[in-house]
Amino acid sequence: MCGIVGYIGPEGAAPILMDELSRLEYRGYDSAGIVTLDGDGLHLVKTRGKLQVLRDRLARDGEPKGNLGIGHTRWATHGAPSDVNAHPHLDDQGRVAVVHNGIIENYQSLRRELEKEGCVFRSQTDSEVVSQLLARRLEKCGDLLEALTSTMGRLRGAYALGVVAKACPGTLAAARKGSPLVVGLSDHGNYIASDIPALLPYTRKVYLLDEGEIALVYADHVEVYSEWGEPVEKKVYEVTWSVDAAERGGYKHFMLKEIFEQPRAIRDTLNPRLRDGRIHLEEAGLTDEYLAQVKRVVLIACGTASHASLVGRAAIEQLARVPVEWDVASEFRYRDPILSPDDLLVVVSQSGETADTLAALRLAKENGCKVLAITNVVGSTIAREADRVLYTWAGPEIAVASTKAYLTQLLCLYLVAIEMASAKGRLDAATYDRYIRELQTLSDKAQTVLTSTTAEQELAKRFCHSRDIFFIGRGLDYAAAMEASLKLKEISYIHSEAMASGELKHGTIALIEDGVPVVALSTQGAVAEKLHSNIRAVKARGAVVVCIAYGDSSVEDGVADYVLYIPRTDDLFAPLLSIIPAQLFAYYCAIERGYDPDKPRNLAKSVTVE
Ligand code: AGP
């Protein structure tokens, strides 16, 4: 998704902007640009393609001068990826430059209105209306804050903006409504960025802009205003992530690094919550008293987080015997859901910025529900708007394909399920203790799965040219199969489907023919026999079967062609281990096919537009 950066201070802006942009590359983009300002005016360089194309352009033509500038990586929504549609956008007289994340919903009517006044547009983007409108307002009133508030009054939709104006050579302006934006504070200049990783080498002190806020950023101080132009007092937020955490640290790709960080992420998520043999979730207001009276849970998320929530649904229903509704946020928000103030609504989101999940949260709050957010990003919009927050301490997840966030989301949901069951008197002490002890072994067991990746590499070599790969399972294995299938398709571009294995005979088995790979997740003892019959049915039609199963299981007795082993755990926790070989398989399939798993086509790390 688009990235915004900006700098004002004693240094030349261009190299800093380029460095900040390189730290946002992981978000996915198709064009990039920067603009700087000095006594000669605005200097714009932008181009379709990766940052290297922009770097080559700067090397050829020279770096633009100026100690103030903004930059952008664009992920096309309105208008194709092209030089002219890349950001920054200038107004038709080159007075103002704007970078924009989000979508301006009423851009067509604004554009028509401006064109009638003689304004000439160069791009097909929705963003250009902002620079055109702002330049005209600034020309009239001569005050950047007033021009910004009145421009924002005309915009509908979601946006984060970075602005520089020829008439205000000492000011970098930023505004936020619906799209994240932070201001970085330091003694050697100040910064803006849509994402904290862009700022980590420069500062750990940030202001997290709230909805509608405008920042006027100067070289030596920052002023923040409401959308009505009133001054706002901001608290400085200290970022705890290290630069290393946001860098590859010797791994070839962020995705691989993050897969290998999972044992650590499990410990970081569990350890602060396990004390004296008990689960403690009071930090999120989840006291036993509160959990005991929950009558219904509604779990809402997108993508990988929705797959974690599927496991959460099973765990809560199975242990606490509380009905759980599950939906993907993009459906939930438009289906007029039945909600009651007694419901505990849980939104799960790694980034804490996903537009659909945020909209679902707001809808639930309008209906009087209490919202618990399970999220990875401290200070994210979802974290700030939820009533309660349970953080997944996975550390920064940079790769588009979510891995360690999934595992830590599962853990948070298991903790809620076990504690809710205990608070409701549905778990005897011995079973509670057994779960706690088992949770404490999961980090080591994940480490064991990661001891060797040879089997996954070999399978990837064998199957990377397949047209389709199916993932099957029953119960929690089916939930994990959905995540396994998403991992594979999003980075290797091999078509993949996950099926509840009992459903195969109702249609999908028609696609099974000689040589089609079927990955069967086989950890759920209660349905093992049923699953094995389903495996035999696909094998009889020529499928090549790979099982993911416990090391001590007997699944391989003639049923599977290959087996990827995981250490035995309670079946409830199996998705947390069985997904790891599937993540590695997906990663190596992408590598075998020559794709960069960190930059999957058409995808963005956080989806802040609908
Ligand atoms: C999967 O690997 C993706 N990154 C994607 O499905 C992601 O889980 C989804 O977009 C939701 O993002 P969130 O957790 O940041 O809300």
Side-chain angles (χ1 to χ4, degrees):
M1 198 96 327
C2 306
I4 288 180
V5 298
Y7 169 75
I8 181 166
E11 314 286 331
I16 295 177
L17 296 173
M18 290 302 291
D19 179 60
E20 287 182 296
L21 285 179
S22 69
R23 292 169 198 282
L24 296 185
E25 277 200 284
Y26 70 90
R27 294 170 56 85
Y29 67 102
D30 44 50
S31 54
I34 60 171
V35 70
T36 60
L37 179 64
D38 71 358
D40 297 331
L42 291 164
H43 307 291
L44 174 68
V45 194
K46 56 181 189 170
T47 171
R48 180 187 174 166
K50 294 295 173 198
L51 273 183
Q52 194 50 47
V53 184
L54 190 63
R55 273 188 211 108
D56 294 346
R57 186 75 62 84
L58 296 180
R60 193 191 65 196
D61 301 341
E63 238 164 36
K65 301 273 177 289
N67 302 51
L68 161 61
I70 48 179
H72 194 261
T73 45
R74 173 175 188 253
W75 191 74
T77 54
H78 294 65
S82 67
D83 288 1
V84 79
N85 287 336
H87 295 218
H89 288 287
L90 269 54
D91 70 295
D92 57 357
Q93 292 174 48
R95 295 163 291 185
V96 161
V98 169
V99 287
H100 165 226
N101 284 0
I103 290 178
I104 307 298
E105 283 163 4
N106 58 337
Y107 81 102
Q108 278 168 320
S109 63
L110 289 172
R111 183 170 173 142
R112 276 195 297 275
E113 182 186 312
L114 286 158
E115 279 172 340
K116 268 193 207 140
E117 291 170 15
C119 176
V120 180
F121 279 80
R122 294 187 195 94
S123 77
Q124 291 84 50
T125 65
D126 54 336
S127 312
E128 194 183 345
V129 295
V130 184
S131 53
Q132 304 281 17
L133 204 56
L134 183 64
R136 276 155 184 75
R137 302 259 155 158
L138 183 59
E139 181 94 26
K140 260 191 211 138
C141 71
D143 180 85
L144 188 53
L145 179 61
E146 192 182 326
L148 262 166
T149 53
S150 74
T151 301
M152 287 167 74
R154 297 294 319 277
L155 303 178
R156 279 209 319 273
Y159 51 84
L161 303 172
V163 174
V164 288
K166 228 166 144 179
C168 312
T171 319
L172 163 64
R176 161 206 175 144
K177 210 170 201 178
S179 275
L181 200 62
V182 300
V183 180
L185 312 164
S186 85
D187 297 336
H188 43 272
N190 293 312
Y191 307 79
I192 61 168
S194 51
D195 295 85
I196 288 172
L199 301 180
L200 288 180
Y202 303 100
T203 183
R204 301 283 169 72
K205 291 190 167 61
V206 297
Y207 286 154
L208 304 167
L209 292 186
D210 281 308
E211 283 300 274
E213 284 181 351
I214 298 169
L216 296 185
V217 183
Y218 303 94
D220 56 358
H221 74 289
V222 176
E223 296 163 7
V224 179
Y225 298 90
S226 72
E227 61 185 306
W228 300 281
E230 293 144 352
V232 175
E233 277 289 318
K234 295 295 287 182
K235 270 211 226 112
V236 176
Y237 170 70
E238 291 265 356
V239 181
T240 52
W241 299 347
S242 64
V243 179
D244 280 1
E247 288 182 349
R248 285 207 306 268
Y251 285 90
K252 198 152 180 250
H253 295 100
F254 280 112
M255 183 179 175
L256 194 61
K257 175 185 176 233
E258 289 162 8
I259 290 173
F260 276 87
E261 282 174 346
Q262 292 180 122
R264 197 265 310 138
I266 294 173
R267 287 195 300 277
D268 287 355
T269 300
L270 275 185
N271 289 356
R273 279 112 187 196
L274 297 182
R275 284 192 306 279
D276 315 320
R278 292 216 60 95
I279 295 169
H280 292 270
L281 302 175
E282 296 84 1
E283 61 181 290
L286 301 178
T287 57
D288 281 2
E289 198 186 5
Y290 172 74
L291 290 170
Q293 51 87 47
V294 172
K295 299 213 170 43
R296 193 175 81 119
V297 176
V298 182
L299 273 165
I300 305 298
C302 300
T304 290
S306 78
H307 299 154
S309 306
L310 269 177
V311 176
R313 175 175 74 177
I316 295 170
E317 288 196 337
Q318 192 181 314
L319 301 183
R321 308 307 295 161
V322 170
V324 182
E325 194 185 325
W326 169 95
D327 208 347
V328 290
S330 53
E331 286 299 311
F332 174 82
R333 61 185 289 197
Y334 291 116
R335 71 167 160 83
D336 195 10
I338 301 168
L339 291 169
S340 131
D342 294 333
D343 293 338
L344 169 61
L345 194 118
V346 185
V347 290
V348 185
S349 171
Q350 187 284 131
S351 62
E353 302 292 349
T354 301
D356 285 320
T357 311
L358 181 59
L361 175 156
R362 289 179 178 156
L363 177 69
K365 288 191 79 169
E366 278 161 28
N367 282 273
C369 302
K370 287 277 175 249
V371 177
L372 167 70
I374 295 180
T375 184
N376 197 36
V377 181
V378 178
S380 59
T381 311
I382 286 177
R384 283 185 282 159
E385 293 197 18
D387 301 285
R388 306 177 159 90
V389 187
L390 200 54
Y391 286 107
T392 52
W393 297 119
E397 192 180 66
I398 306 288
V400 170
S402 189
T403 53
K404 59 180 181 169
Y406 173 75
L407 259 74
T408 54
Q409 287 160 355
L410 290 182
L411 279 175
C412 286
L413 289 159
Y414 287 137
L415 293 179
V416 171
I418 297 169
E419 202 48 32
M420 191 183 286
S422 160
K424 285 182 177 291
R426 296 200 184 274
L427 268 193
D428 59 65
T431 315
Y432 186 88
D433 290 348
R434 185 166 56 76
Y435 283 141
I436 303 275
R437 278 200 306 277
E438 190 53 34
L439 283 169
Q440 284 166 327
T441 67
L442 291 174
S443 169
D444 287 349
K445 289 179 178 171
Q447 192 66 60
T448 306
V449 183
L450 291 165
T451 312
S452 164
T453 61
T454 315
E456 289 85 353
Q457 291 189 51
E458 274 164 13
L459 286 177
K461 279 201 184 92
R462 161 95 164 78
F463 294 121
C464 68
H465 299 297
S466 307
R467 196 189 53 188
D468 315 289
I469 298 184
F470 294 90
F471 287 82
I472 62 170
R474 282 177 174 256
L476 289 177
D477 281 335
Y478 170 46
M482 290 178 77
E483 175 56 11
S485 168
L486 176 67
K487 282 292 87 74
L488 181 72
K489 69 184 125 188
E490 71 178 326
I491 56 168
S492 75
Y493 319 142
I494 298 172
H495 170 255
S496 173
E497 256 186 73
M499 290 298 300
S501 61
E503 273 291 292
L504 281 165
K505 58 186 173 296
H506 299 290
T508 308
I509 202 160
L511 297 174
I512 305 296
E513 54 187 359
D514 260 356
V516 171
V518 174
V519 181
L521 283 79
S522 173
T523 66
Q524 300 297 299
V527 284
E529 281 313 311
K530 308 272 172 214
L531 175 73
H532 292 178
S533 318
N534 302 139
I535 295 175
R536 282 192 190 93
V538 292
K539 254 193 96 62
R541 285 153 184 87
V544 184
V545 176
V546 179
C547 271
I548 299 180
Y550 297 134
D552 58 2
S553 66
S554 57
V555 71
E556 72 275 29
D557 57 1
V559 176
D561 297 283
Y562 303 91
V563 187
L564 295 171
Y565 291 110
I566 57 168
R568 182 169 286 280
T569 181
D570 192 289
D571 287 359
L572 182 67
F573 303 136
L576 203 138
L577 299 178
S578 63
I579 196 61
I580 299 174
Q583 294 168 341
L584 288 166
F585 175 62
Y587 172 81
Y588 288 114
C589 279
I591 300 293
E592 285 298 325
R593 287 165 66 90
Y595 298 123
D596 180 348
D598 283 348
K599 298 193 185 87
R601 67 185 181 208
N602 305 338
L603 293 178
K605 181 60 182 165
S606 63
V607 185
T608 51
V609 293
E610 255 202 87

